[in-house]
Amino acid sequence: MFESIRNHKKFLLGFLMILIVPSFVLFGVEGYTRYNEASEAVATVDGEKITKAEWDQAHQQESQRLREMMPTIDSRLLDSDQARYETLERLVRQRVLAVAADKGGLYTSDQRLARELQANEVIATLRRPDGSLDVEAYRQLLARQGLSPEMFEAQVRAELSQQQVLQGIEGTGLSAAAVADAALNAFFERREVRVQRLEAGDFRDRVTLSDADIEAFYSANGALFQAPEQADVEYLVLDSASIEKGIALNEADLRTYYEQNAQALSGPEERRASHILLTWPEGETGRDAVRERARDLLAQARQNPDGFADLARQHSQDPGSGPAGGDLDYFSRGAMVKPFEDAVFALEKDAISELVETEFGVHIIRLTDIRKPPQRSFESLRAELETTLRQQQAQRLFAEQAENFSNTVYEQSDSLQPAAEAFKLEIRRADGVQREPAPGATGPLANARLLEALFSIDAIERKRNTEAIETASGQLTSARIVNHRPARTLPLEEVRDQVRERLVAQRAAELARAEGERRLEAWRSGGQPESLGPVLTVSREAPQGLPPAVLTAALSAPAGALPAWQGVPLGEAGYAVVKVEKVLPRQPRTEAALAEQELAQYSRLWSAAEAQAYYDTLYARFKVRVLVPNPSGSAPPAR
């Protein structure tokens, strides 16, 4: 058999090349690696895997959403391993709820989806002054998150369906008042305590160190005295701001934009309306009677339009506008619920609408006035027009150039010069860059993802460009290492004073703890306390300035036999001894509103706990497995 293989090895090699080469031509060696990584499962739910590619995409979308909401957010918070892991946990939760919604036949109607999109605050910012949606801005917003409008709306529909899984639990949670009172009484219990603090600083004079002590501490803790890994780097930034600087505007384009948007730029149109409102009864029954009564009133209003105000005073159930003859004063688009707004802005002056139904009831509307702001001149708007048009053109050019920029820095990875020349960008330089962003650092080199790529083995050893990484909204950055300096332990003679200071602080804290433990033992055995602090009445509401560890010890000390003694190590700060002398009940709530608020909060927490318990049941039922370790080091919760 082996002889046959040797005799025909050329044929076999040729056959294998026919199978393998086309795949490598299409994908490349790195393509195989990336494909395998992307398709690798990071979790499974109900037997279906969540891939690394899905995880990466979800985290990118989440980061982009947060950057849109909070432009000044620290990128390090978004790109840390812990933030990525939390995205995976949310992705797992979404998948669990999606499976539960599917198996439970839960569905979101078109009407419910429309209401949700209408209430979306981010989408609301994209409305023009006339109230219409800027569809192109809407598409661009979603495109920056890798979504089309159809994909986004499907995502929202799915989220609403998933919410139904737990809403039934959260909305029906019950907590008995007696149980709530018992829990709240325990939580807000007060205690009279006395505290003695043994500050580590008071023991520094007792510390004596030899050269051998310093050398031994230095040898055992070399990692504390290192010069960090550093690199001198070059980097390129492509963003809409840099593109905007090179844009020369055409006068004709400015004039055209002015003509198309002059009215909107001059300010929103306002309308004044009056209405008669008949509110809905509780539940669905009785709504037809409300509609019938509204039709009668509509007929009366149209028969005598000038008597509309009197009709509103007699019949409108809106307590705000009814006594004023239904008058709502002037308002622009976005101030009223959509069906009401659409009806008002479709009316001619003095016209009366058909019946308009909203969540509040049935409305009969009369438009009493239209107020349009005077149109501003071209010259008065020129600066605003130039800024807006430059920004729009810059955003469009950035979207067009982003892919080419990414390809250029990747394909010509031994230098940033080709990309700099192609896109007319300045190569920037920074020295002494470290793996972790410097405290308070801003800009591209404060981005954790860019630094992670910059300090990868490939970038360090081969001096290759990093891939183009999104370091801010509408900003791509690629960097490369010019000079790399590994981390090194500094010589003892350079850091002797630092070593001495650390060792003195450690020894002083140890002496404070030893003295505190000695006193605690003596006082527990019946000795007379010396110099204990004054009596303090403490609770979770009123910690009286106690450190959290001391407050926790005071409130958790067994109250069966008083006084109770507790010792609290405070690390390098020293030690504290706590004496609990008396347990006091929770202060009675004299304000009914506060008591109701606390009970309501407890009920919400109880409902949330029940919903979490139900989710844990689903988690176990659908056999969830998370295959990525938690970077915090904690094990996944038992389900």
Side-chain angles (χ1 to χ4, degrees):
M1 178 178 176
F2 292 107
E3 184 68 21
S4 174
I5 291 174
R6 281 194 294 271
N7 291 340
H8 297 87
K9 65 181 179 181
K10 288 185 178 180
F11 170 79
L12 289 173
L13 287 172
F15 180 72
L16 290 173
M17 290 296 286
I18 290 172
L19 290 176
I20 296 172
V21 169
S23 299
F24 275 72
V25 169
L26 290 173
F27 299 106
V29 175
E30 188 173 359
Y32 266 99
T33 303
R34 289 181 177 176
Y35 174 78
N36 287 334
E37 288 179 353
S39 62
E40 176 188 354
V42 292
T44 61
V45 178
D46 200 33
E48 296 294 326
K49 66 182 182 181
I50 297 173
T51 65
K52 186 176 184 299
E54 292 175 299
W55 180 20
D56 290 341
Q57 182 182 20
H59 187 69
Q60 181 182 4
Q61 291 173 358
E62 177 71 6
S63 298
Q64 183 62 38
R65 184 183 66 82
L66 291 173
R67 287 190 179 103
E68 295 281 353
M69 293 173 57
M70 298 176 286
T72 60
I73 191 171
D74 190 340
S75 295
R76 290 172 293 180
L77 298 177
L78 301 179
D79 299 319
S80 66
D81 289 340
Q82 189 61 42
R84 285 180 53 79
Y85 189 82
E86 289 169 1
T87 298
L88 178 58
E89 289 183 315
R90 284 191 290 273
L91 196 56
V92 167
R93 184 180 181 87
Q94 290 169 6
R95 189 66 60 85
V96 168
L97 297 178
V99 173
D102 181 60
K103 292 182 181 293
L106 301 176
Y107 177 73
T108 297
S109 66
D110 292 340
Q111 293 82 359
R112 177 69 182 89
L113 175 63
R115 289 200 303 273
E116 181 68 19
L117 295 176
Q118 178 70 25
N120 187 293
E121 294 181 0
V122 176
I123 295 176
T125 65
L126 304 179
R127 295 194 178 279
R128 299 187 180 96
D130 65 359
S132 63
L133 179 67
D134 186 336
V135 177
E136 184 57 33
Y138 177 57
R139 290 183 181 278
Q140 289 178 6
L141 173 67
L142 296 178
R144 289 197 293 271
Q145 301 178 49
L147 296 170
S148 67
E150 294 75 18
M151 292 165 62
F152 172 69
E153 288 158 17
Q155 188 179 86
V156 173
R157 188 191 296 273
E159 289 172 357
L160 292 173
S161 297
Q162 292 162 25
Q163 290 171 12
Q164 295 179 59
V165 175
L166 298 181
Q167 279 176 343
I169 304 295
E170 293 174 334
T172 57
L174 295 174
S175 56
V179 175
D181 280 342
L184 291 170
N185 288 340
F187 186 80
F188 291 114
E189 180 182 85
R190 297 172 297 150
R191 294 190 172 192
E192 289 186 357
V193 303
R194 295 161 71 96
V195 179
Q196 184 176 84
R197 292 280 298 270
L198 291 93
E199 304 288 349
D202 295 337
F203 292 81
R204 291 177 65 90
D205 293 342
R206 303 186 192 181
V207 178
T208 57
L209 300 177
S210 66
D211 288 342
D213 292 331
I214 292 173
E215 290 169 4
F217 186 81
Y218 170 79
S219 298
N221 298 278
L224 298 175
F225 309 105
Q226 282 195 336
E229 178 185 22
Q230 294 183 338
D232 302 330
V233 306
E234 296 176 342
Y235 63 103
L236 276 184
V237 178
L238 177 74
D239 60 10
S240 55
S242 59
I243 293 173
E244 189 177 328
K245 293 176 183 177
I247 291 176
L249 294 176
N250 184 296
E251 183 74 10
D253 290 341
L254 273 175
R255 294 273 180 187
T256 300
Y257 187 78
Y258 168 76
E259 291 168 5
Q260 294 174 345
N261 298 277
Q263 189 60 57
L265 291 169
S266 298
E269 174 187 308
E270 292 183 317
R271 295 197 166 202
R272 187 169 191 166
S274 297
H275 79 142
I276 299 168
L277 170 66
L278 300 182
T279 58
W280 296 121
E282 291 288 338
E284 291 295 322
T285 58
R287 290 200 170 200
D288 287 342
V290 172
R291 294 185 182 101
E292 185 61 32
R293 185 181 171 209
R295 280 192 284 270
D296 291 340
L297 290 173
L298 175 60
Q300 295 178 49
R302 286 182 170 168
Q303 187 175 1
N304 180 22
D306 293 337
F308 190 94
D310 292 333
L311 208 60
R313 289 189 190 93
Q314 294 172 31
H315 300 284
S316 180
Q317 294 172 330
D318 180 355
S321 68
D327 182 36
L328 296 169
D329 209 340
Y330 288 96
F331 57 89
S332 56
R333 284 191 180 270
M336 301 294 182
V337 292
K338 193 170 189 313
F340 191 97
E341 175 186 287
D342 290 346
V344 168
F345 281 84
L347 290 173
E348 299 291 335
K349 185 178 177 181
D350 293 326
I352 296 175
S353 71
E354 298 292 337
L355 298 184
V356 177
E357 294 190 7
T358 70
E359 60 195 271
F360 304 106
V362 182
H363 307 258
I364 302 166
I365 307 168
R366 185 185 187 208
L367 183 64
T368 55
D369 196 14
I370 299 174
R371 186 164 67 186
K372 294 183 178 180
Q375 184 168 312
R376 294 171 61 186
S377 68
F378 174 77
E379 288 305 325
S380 69
L381 285 169
R382 176 183 282 275
E384 187 176 341
L385 292 170
E386 288 179 349
T387 299
T388 302
L389 208 53
R390 275 201 181 92
Q391 289 175 347
Q392 289 181 358
Q393 292 186 15
Q395 289 172 356
R396 185 172 64 253
L397 287 172
F398 174 78
E400 293 171 358
Q401 295 180 9
E403 184 175 357
N404 290 335
F405 178 79
S406 299
N407 291 339
T408 302
V409 298
Y410 178 75
E411 293 167 358
Q412 302 186 57
S413 61
D414 57 346
S415 173
L416 291 172
Q417 193 63 40
E421 293 173 357
F423 297 93
K424 297 181 175 57
L425 299 173
E426 176 190 356
I427 296 179
R428 308 180 194 181
R429 185 179 176 99
D431 296 335
V433 176
Q434 300 179 19
R435 282 183 180 267
E436 295 295 327
T442 58
L445 293 180
N447 183 277
R449 280 189 62 214
L450 179 64
L451 292 177
E452 181 182 358
L454 190 57
F455 283 90
S456 66
I457 294 175
D458 192 53
I460 292 173
E461 294 183 354
R462 301 183 186 180
K463 303 292 191 294
R464 293 186 182 276
N465 302 338
T466 68
E467 63 178 317
I469 291 172
E470 185 178 30
T471 48
S473 178
Q475 182 184 81
L476 291 175
T477 304
S478 176
R480 65 188 304 271
I481 288 180
V482 177
N483 182 36
H484 178 257
R485 297 181 291 280
R488 64 186 180 89
T489 301
L490 296 168
L492 175 58
E493 293 313 311
E494 287 187 29
V495 293
R496 180 176 289 274
D497 290 343
Q498 296 177 36
V499 175
R500 172 182 290 279
E501 179 58 31
R502 281 184 174 272
L503 188 52
V504 167
Q506 183 188 89
R507 295 277 178 89
E510 290 171 356
L511 290 172
R513 177 167 182 161
E515 176 62 17
E517 290 175 344
R518 184 192 67 78
R519 295 185 187 183
L520 176 63
E521 185 61 31
W523 294 337
R524 278 177 172 167
S525 301
Q528 291 300 314
E530 300 173 3
S531 63
L532 276 175
V535 175
L536 300 173
T537 301
V538 300
S539 67
R540 289 180 174 85
E541 293 177 291
Q544 305 291 1
L546 295 184
V550 176
L551 179 66
T552 299
L555 295 175
S556 61
L562 297 179
W565 294 91
Q566 293 278 75
V568 187
L570 299 176
E572 291 191 357
Y575 195 80
V577 178
V578 180
K579 180 187 180 185
V580 180
E581 295 185 339
K582 193 173 184 180
V583 175
L584 301 173
R586 167 192 181 194
Q587 280 188 323
R589 298 298 190 245
T590 56
E591 298 180 16
L594 180 58
E596 290 177 5
Q597 182 182 355
E598 289 177 354
L599 181 59
Q601 185 176 9
Y602 177 83
S603 298
R604 286 194 296 271
L605 292 172
W606 184 270
S607 297
E610 289 187 335
Q612 182 61 40
Y614 180 59
Y615 171 75
D616 291 346
T617 301
L618 297 174
Y619 191 101
R621 181 189 303 170
F622 299 137
K623 297 180 175 59
V624 175
R625 294 175 60 230
V626 177
L627 307 175
V628 177
N630 189 332
S632 68
S634 61
R639 300 286 182 179

